[in-house]
Amino acid sequence: MTTKKAMLIDLTLCVGCNACQEACKTENKLPEGEEHSLSATAYTALNEYDGTYVRRMCQHCVDPTCASVCPVGAFDKLASGPVLYDESKCIGCRYCMQACPFQVPRYQWSSTYPKVMKCKFCADRQAKGLQPACTEACPSGATKFGNRDDLVREAYDRIKAEPEKYVNKVYGVDEVGGTSILYISSVPFEQLGFKTNLQSTALPMLTWNVLSKIPNIVSVGGVMLYGIWWITNRRKDVQKVEKELLEKRGNGNHSSMN
């Protein structure tokens, strides 16, 4: 059985050194240079909110919406956690960009052969038993890699041990069915640019629930339409019979008068 991997980011420990982004760019052979927002050349980025640094990156959802909406199967969710993108299958529809609840995937707009770009959770390194490059490079321990269940427990233990330090929430445990990137913070998440109104149900499950009801909708709708058709035609038949009876009565009266 494959163990689900995850990353716990403790925002209280991040010092904003940007070592995570530098390591990410080196690992993925992206152009050097500090960037403060996600782009086709930055798979992770740091934002500052009054002294609190927040890492942005693909959340590697447990049940990813990008994979569910891709019409050609260019996205694949590995059992170990990473959500990977196969550029050879991509047709450039960019449904993944529209569907992502965290607005993560970026597009190479200036490229002749554009691709969708996003964090790969260092799947190749994980396959070799290594941790992601960003986690390895973090000098303050703000980013920790490990088994998801273990990290969830550790996150709650940290909050329980220092309730005056942390807000009582582990972001990523429930959001859109859960993510592989977990956060704990001393500042309410809504003040740090996190989406805090996301539902706990995985978005692909909502799609499936709707689609699964379509046969019933079609069946019920079909019965209703047949009923309307039957009633309409029944009225026409009744009107036709009544008209024929009136004509016969009229002819009968005319014959008797003759």
Side-chain angles (χ1 to χ4, degrees), residues 33-157:
E34 186 172 338
E35 299 186 54
H36 296 285
S37 59
L38 296 179
S39 72
T41 56
Y43 296 168
T44 186
L46 280 177
N47 299 150
E48 183 184 2
Y49 295 82
D50 294 328
T52 299
Y53 295 94
V54 179
R55 277 192 65 187
R56 306 297 183 190
M57 59 187 292
C58 174
Q59 300 298 288
H60 295 279
C61 301
V62 173
D63 197 353
T65 310
C66 57
S68 71
V69 300
C70 181
V72 293
F75 285 87
D76 186 26
K77 171 70 176 179
L78 303 188
S80 57
V83 177
L84 299 185
Y85 162 74
D86 185 346
E87 62 188 64
S88 67
K89 295 180 180 179
C90 183
I91 58 175
C93 68
R94 302 186 295 281
Y95 287 169
C96 54
M97 298 173 65
Q98 299 292 327
C100 177
F102 302 103
Q103 286 81 50
V104 167
R106 295 296 190 270
Y107 200 60
Q108 292 178 314
W109 294 102
S110 59
S111 173
T112 305
Y113 303 102
K115 297 180 292 185
V116 172
M117 308 295 281
K118 72 170 203 68
C119 166
K120 305 170 185 174
F121 208 179
C122 286
D124 291 341
R125 289 175 60 92
Q126 287 196 43
K128 298 175 184 175
L130 301 174
Q131 59 181 321
C134 60
T135 307
E136 186 176 77
C138 181
S140 64
T143 302
K144 185 175 182 178
F145 175 73
N147 297 334
R148 188 175 190 275
D149 291 343
D150 293 340
L151 290 180
V152 170
R153 278 194 291 272
E154 180 173 339
Y156 282 118
D157 286 345

Side-chain angles (χ1 to χ4, degrees), residues 18-29 44 122 125 132-138:
N18 208 46
C20 53
Q21 188 183 74
E22 293 175 5
C24 176
K25 283 177 173 274
T26 300
E27 178 67 24
N28 293 288
K29 299 178 175 57
T44 186
C122 286
R125 289 175 60 92
C134 60
T135 307
E136 186 176 77
C138 181

Side-chain angles (χ1 to χ4, degrees), residues 166-185:
Y166 296 101
V167 295
N168 187 25
K169 178 177 178 59
V170 180
Y171 191 92
V173 170
D174 297 319
E175 281 70 19
V176 293
T179 65
S180 300
I181 311 301
L182 308 166
Y183 297 85
I184 52 177
S185 170

